[in-house]
Amino acid sequence: MLGTYFYHEIIRKTIISFGTLFNDISIRHTKSDGSILDETKVGLSYGPMQKFLTKIQEQEQLTKSIAITLPRMSFEMTRISYDSTRKTGVTQTFKAVDTGTSKMKKVFMPVPYNIEFELNIFSKLNDDALQIIEQILPFFQPSFNLTVDLVSSIGEKRDIPIILDSIDFQDDYEGSFQTRRALIYTLRFSAKTYLFGPIAESSDGLIRKVQADISSGTDTSVAKREMRYVASVDPITADPSDDFGFTEEWSFLPDSKEYSPTRQEDIWLWIIIMNQSMKLWILIVIL
């Protein structure tokens, strides 16, 4: 089974979707009369906190050219872990239509995984960082649902909860007055996503017709059937993507027959029980 190539880009899509939540945040500086002095869009990059902190500190003298523009944000994926609380049956499957070929596909239920992220906010002024924080926190209570197209080939879109786990604050103030200051807010998130395995062609056809026989009692060994219910799609050749209706049929069957799934017809079922020499003989005759 291992070795079959497939790549749905689910982890990549989850990382990109997480980053798009924070790519349109800006801060404002105002005058004493309340008018806007300037407005700056906060930059966002993928990378670890240490990379950007080193960039800030590698030019210690404030008189030198710009090392990095603050405020700024960075994020990275830090961990992937299995979530047993959302586990489903390992053999459970469902059918889906390939959006490209319109053929039926058999898909195993996805495996639940948690992807953990770390969002870092760098700022020189505390007020700038607080503006960014207040534009993020109200949307997480503590989760925010994000719709991700997990498997594009079958149109599998799911709402992925993004949960805010913790918030940490760091003020890198130690050192001389010539050292650049860095205020760092660290927000940790967990994305409850799903990973899909390979998608195979469906080995069986579509269910277009169902039939149910209704008995006169709950004990099916002695109860006789009284009624049959049949439901089918209309037209019977319809596919899942077609516009179709349903046809329902009810019929009374007081004939004591039984339906044979193998022969797909009603049959008489006679059971003769004989007791001979303390032995039980059962003769089943099907006509």
Side-chain angles (χ1 to χ4, degrees):
M1 182 176 180
L2 295 178
T4 302
Y5 177 80
F6 65 95
Y7 180 44
H8 305 305
E9 301 182 347
I10 295 177
I11 298 177
R12 180 176 182 269
K13 292 176 183 178
T14 305
I15 295 174
I16 295 175
S17 300
F18 177 82
T20 56
L21 290 175
F22 313 101
N23 65 350
D24 198 21
I25 295 178
S26 60
I27 62 170
R28 292 179 180 179
H29 296 148
T30 59
K31 298 179 181 178
S32 57
D33 59 356
S35 59
I36 299 175
L37 178 63
D38 61 70
E39 181 174 346
T40 304
K41 185 176 180 179
V42 182
L44 177 68
S45 301
Y46 183 85
M49 177 185 66
Q50 290 78 10
K51 174 183 176 181
F52 293 92
L53 187 58
T54 302
K55 185 67 175 177
I56 296 173
Q57 295 174 345
E58 68 181 8
Q59 291 188 358
E60 298 182 353
Q61 301 298 324
L62 299 178
T63 58
K64 291 187 178 181
S65 59
I66 296 175
I68 189 172
T69 302
L70 297 181
R72 191 175 185 87
M73 295 188 297
S74 72
F75 73 99
E76 63 171 332
M77 181 182 66
T78 58
R79 187 167 179 259
I80 301 178
S81 60
Y82 177 75
D83 189 352
S84 59
T85 60
R86 296 182 287 137
K87 175 181 172 60
T88 57
V90 294
T91 59
Q92 187 175 355
T93 63
F94 67 94
K95 293 183 177 65
V97 179
D98 192 315
T99 56
T101 62
S102 298
K103 294 183 178 180
M104 290 300 300
K105 300 288 185 177
K106 182 174 67 175
V107 186
F108 282 92
M109 295 299 292
V111 183
Y113 271 87
N114 295 336
I115 301 179
E116 298 181 9
F117 294 94
E118 190 175 275
L119 176 70
N120 298 286
I121 302 172
F122 307 90
S123 175
K124 180 180 179 182
L125 302 176
N126 196 30
D127 183 69
D128 293 348
L130 294 179
Q131 288 188 50
I132 299 172
I133 287 293
E134 289 198 15
Q135 294 180 63
I136 296 176
L137 298 187
F139 294 98
F140 295 89
Q141 306 180 24
S143 64
F144 178 84
N145 286 339
L146 185 66
T147 303
V148 182
D149 189 2
L150 298 180
V151 186
S152 303
S153 61
I154 59 173
E156 181 66 23
K157 296 182 179 180
R158 297 205 177 194
D159 289 337
I160 305 301
I162 309 294
I163 301 176
L164 176 59
D165 296 323
S166 64
I167 305 173
D168 294 330
F169 170 75
Q170 175 185 347
D171 189 352
D172 189 16
Y173 61 87
E174 296 182 356
S176 64
F177 289 101
Q178 299 299 319
T179 304
R180 295 181 185 272
R181 183 191 183 192
L183 296 171
I184 304 174
Y185 283 84
T186 302
L187 285 69
R188 295 180 177 85
F189 299 86
S190 297
K192 294 184 174 295
T193 189
Y194 296 88
L195 298 181
F196 284 80
I199 298 175
E201 297 286 346
S202 178
S203 59
D204 49 0
L206 294 172
I207 298 177
R208 294 186 172 92
K209 181 179 180 181
V210 295
Q211 175 179 302
D213 288 350
I214 304 174
S215 302
S216 58
T218 57
D219 188 358
T220 57
S221 62
V222 296
K224 304 302 182 182
R225 67 175 185 176
E226 299 289 342
M227 185 179 296
R228 171 173 293 173
Y229 171 74
V230 179
S232 58
V233 297
D234 185 18
I236 197 65
T237 57
D239 289 325
S241 58
D242 296 336
D243 184 12
F244 59 88
F246 292 92
T247 301
E248 296 180 305
E249 298 179 5
W250 291 89
S251 56
F252 293 94
L253 302 171
D255 52 14
S256 301
K257 288 185 178 181
E258 297 289 342
Y259 182 77
S260 173
T262 56
R263 297 171 57 173
Q264 297 185 358
E265 61 179 353
D266 296 323
I267 60 175
W268 290 99
L269 183 62
W270 294 353
I271 301 179
I272 303 175
I273 301 177
M274 298 169 47
N275 190 347
Q276 181 179 1
S277 301
M278 303 301 293
K279 294 182 180 180
L280 183 64
W281 298 81
I282 301 177
L283 176 63
I284 302 177
V285 180
I286 299 177
L287 298 178

